[in-house]
Amino acid sequence: MAVTTSTPPDERTPDTAEGAPEPRRRRGNAVDVWLGVIAWVVGIAFFFPVFWMVLTSFKTEADAYTPTPKIIFEPTLEQYEGVFSSGIGPYLANSVGATVISTLLVLLLAIPAAFALSLRPVQKTSDVLFFFISTKMLPVVAAIVPIYVVVNEIGALDNIWTLIVLYTGMNLPIAVWMMRSFFLEVPGELLEQASIDGAPLWRTLREIVLPIISPGIFATALICVIFAWNEFFFAVNLTAANAGTVPVFLVGFITSEGLYWAQLSAAATLAALPVVIAGWVAQNKLVQGLSFGAVK
Amino acid sequence: MTTTLERPAPDKQAGGAPMIDRAEGWRRRAPLLPALIFTIIVTQIPFLLTIFYSLQSWNLVRPGSQSFVWFQNYADVFTDSQFRQVALNTVVMTLGSVLIAVALGLVLALLLNRQFFGRGVVRTLLITPFLITPVAAALLWRTVLLDPTLGLVNFVLSPFGASGTEWISEFPLASVMAALVWQWTPFMMLLLLAGLQSQPTDQLEAARVDGANSWSIFRELTLPHLRRFIELGVVLGTIYLVNTFDTVYMMTQGGPGVASANLPFYIYQRAFLGFDIGQSAAMGVVVVILTLIAATFALRLLFRTFSGEEEAA
């Protein structure tokens, strides 16, 4: 534990920082500054490979292959042109299609389900919730063989809709749990008031519930987008040239590995960019999504 | 009708509350059913089929080879020495990466749970590795970072005389784990940070006023409070990482030999390169059982560590 070994315990301001009371304030400040510096150094270290990937994507191949890594160079867009001319286009379109459609389907199924598990709950709500979460404990590898056999038999290999269905199934449990935790934040008095006033259910939903949960819908959608976009296992096993997604496209680079680092970096940057942006926007909700709503 | 009244007691029938009549019950169930039915079809049927296939001898390249063999596949799986190696790799890879990521994540969460200049920026930088498409991240590690002659890692280590290390062929499992830890530490950090921020501050204030030093506050108040979050991190990390496929596939292809293969990759090889449906299905069933054991084991371990420390305190 770097924090505690770096300074004698009594000199350290406690972790919750902000207002450590008076006497230790001075010395505490110096320590605070140093811990801040350490945090920055670690943050930059973790980010550095990503930074380097983006940097390399703007190099010529000659600049990418130097024994002493180059930071100063003449930036070029030729790698991105190369990636687009080597045909990333259809793969990007497939990724966008599979991600967007599966996310919409997830929301369409998850929002009513979450409603039925929160505001107007069915009986045995906790059993149903447990069922949903338990499907995520099932390793995907345990299901891939029959999925392949069935998909092959119905002639749906290399079909984008196969991925859409599977991604919907993959994200639905998470979305139900997340949406439920947002529904539970709707204050009961508001609903009570509305039902006393005799407002019909759909109006209550639209005018009272929807505005409260819409940030939650947005967060849930972003989490689903992240998972669907990054998914590889189903994509590589069930698709090829027609329905392949961006991760499948990236696999193509492994055969020419070692030869085109700069172009590879450009492709990897393009593949990662949408999700990195989505994740930055949703960073407060990431944990909530991954922990099935267990942690806010 | 308040929402609290509507919420049924955990037991079958809500005790004093009026029984929900049949029509009302179906009206409530209706919005749930599409999602429930969809999930059952997409997730449960394949798994049942896996169990069914695991009892058959069936190779896709030999048409008509399908026949019922009961538990022969399981017997084969357990006498397969490669499978045992791969199962061990899976445990090492999953638990090793999870525990290292949790430990690093805890340090980072403590660092970030304080006010300092640019905290939001540092947090954003830190979570980025988690967001990078795993396939892209694995490619990045394989080439730009770990390449023996031109990679950044060897460049940084060259003053210490480590240049020319063939990370991926000499330490394949460790290389894969390094990439996994890099990707998962940010998640653990976010989770534990959420834990730290949910700790009641008045409790900490009181301890401080009583003159407790920071280390004992950390050990006696913060750590027990975080225990739930650490356990959650271990369990979630195990669930997600036991499925690791992208990183192995892109970095090492499981090699050399099966030195860095884990169960998902090995099953993939058997099913899609060897076309052995029966065997790979049997392995799939074994993975499910292993997942349960791994999660339980991780929890046990934690329990013991923490209760031991609390007694010592």
Side-chain angles (χ1 to χ4, degrees), chain B residues 64-116:
Chain B
S65 67
Q66 199 171 356
S67 65
F68 223 71
V69 293
W70 291 105
F71 293 98
Q72 186 56 46
N73 285 322
Y74 290 92
D76 291 346
V77 164
F78 283 109
T79 51
D80 177 355
S81 67
Q82 281 201 333
F83 179 82
R84 286 200 299 268
Q85 169 71 40
V86 168
L88 184 69
N89 286 350
T90 311
V91 174
V92 171
M93 190 187 290
T94 308
L95 284 186
S97 308
V98 167
L99 294 179
I100 296 170
V102 167
L104 285 176
L106 178 61
V107 174
L108 293 181
L110 289 170
L111 273 175
L112 282 204
N113 191 32
R114 11 177 359 107
Q115 302 293 329
F116 62 88

Side-chain angles (χ1 to χ4, degrees), chain B residues 194-215:
Chain B
L196 283 173
Q197 284 169 354
S198 70
Q199 192 175 16
T201 45
D202 50 345
Q203 200 186 33
L204 294 170
E205 284 300 327
R208 218 169 285 144
V209 170
D210 290 347
N213 69 36
S214 304
W215 170 238

Side-chain angles (χ1 to χ4, degrees), chain A:
Chain A
M1 252 139 276
V3 183
T4 39
T5 49
S6 58
T7 49
D10 55 330
E11 274 188 19
R12 235 190 70 213
T13 38
D15 299 310
T16 27
E18 191 68 277
E22 317 76 52
R24 288 194 220 148
R25 190 72 194 154
R26 252 241 168 80
R27 283 194 296 175
N29 266 342
V31 174
D32 267 350
V33 168
W34 276 109
L35 288 174
V37 170
I38 293 171
W40 266 98
V41 170
V42 177
I44 290 170
F46 261 79
F47 184 74
F48 196 77
V50 180
F51 166 74
W52 199 255
M53 171 179 82
V54 177
L55 199 71
T56 307
S57 75
F58 290 107
K59 290 178 178 176
T60 60
E61 296 296 345
D63 281 334
Y65 288 90
T66 51
T68 307
K70 268 194 187 177
I71 296 203
I72 313 290
F73 59 93
E74 203 169 315
T76 168
L77 284 176
E78 78 181 66
Q79 306 311 338
Y80 286 93
E81 285 161 19
V83 169
F84 276 105
S85 67
S86 69
I88 199 179
Y91 292 89
L92 269 175
N94 285 335
S95 270
V96 171
T99 303
V100 171
I101 300 176
S102 74
T103 300
L104 290 177
L105 275 175
V106 166
L107 292 178
L108 204 66
L109 291 168
I111 293 172
F115 172 74
L117 294 168
S118 55
L119 295 186
R120 219 163 241 263
V122 297
Q123 290 174 307
K124 300 196 179 178
T125 290
S126 50
D127 290 350
V128 177
L129 283 168
F130 180 78
F131 166 73
F132 275 117
I133 201 175
S134 72
T135 66
K136 290 304 289 181
M137 314 255 169
L138 218 61
V140 195
V141 277
I144 189 68
V145 171
I147 287 176
Y148 180 85
V149 171
V150 170
V151 167
N152 187 26
E153 226 138 80
I154 60 174
L157 278 180
D158 204 11
N159 185 329
I160 193 74
W161 285 98
T162 307
L163 288 188
I164 290 171
V165 168
L166 290 170
Y167 291 177
T168 306
M170 169 179 90
N171 283 332
L172 191 53
I174 299 172
V176 168
W177 273 72
M178 268 187 93
M179 283 314 306
R180 177 176 181 267
S181 68
F182 290 114
F183 270 118
L184 290 177
E185 280 168 20
V186 177
E189 310 89 67
L190 274 181
L191 296 179
E192 197 182 351
Q193 190 55 47
S195 86
I196 289 170
D197 295 346
L201 183 63
W202 61 269
R203 227 182 83 198
T204 314
L205 287 179
R206 204 187 52 194
E207 285 168 16
I208 296 175
V209 178
L210 192 63
I212 298 178
I213 62 161
S214 53
I217 296 178
F218 182 67
T220 308
L222 280 176
I223 297 289
C224 295
V225 164
I226 291 173
F227 278 119
W229 185 274
N230 284 347
E231 205 284 332
F232 177 63
F233 191 60
F234 286 135
V236 78
N237 286 321
L238 302 174
T239 70
N242 277 332
T245 54
V246 172
V248 175
F249 175 81
L250 279 180
V251 174
F253 280 95
I254 209 166
T255 50
S256 51
E257 164 256 348
L259 288 174
Y260 303 110
W261 279 14
Q263 191 165 340
L264 177 155
S265 297
T269 304
L270 279 176
L273 196 65
V275 157
V276 168
I277 291 171
W280 281 350
V281 173
Q283 53 178 291
N284 291 320
K285 301 296 176 192
L286 264 181
V287 167
Q288 193 173 358
L290 281 141
S291 65
F292 313 101
V295 174
K296 294 253 163 108

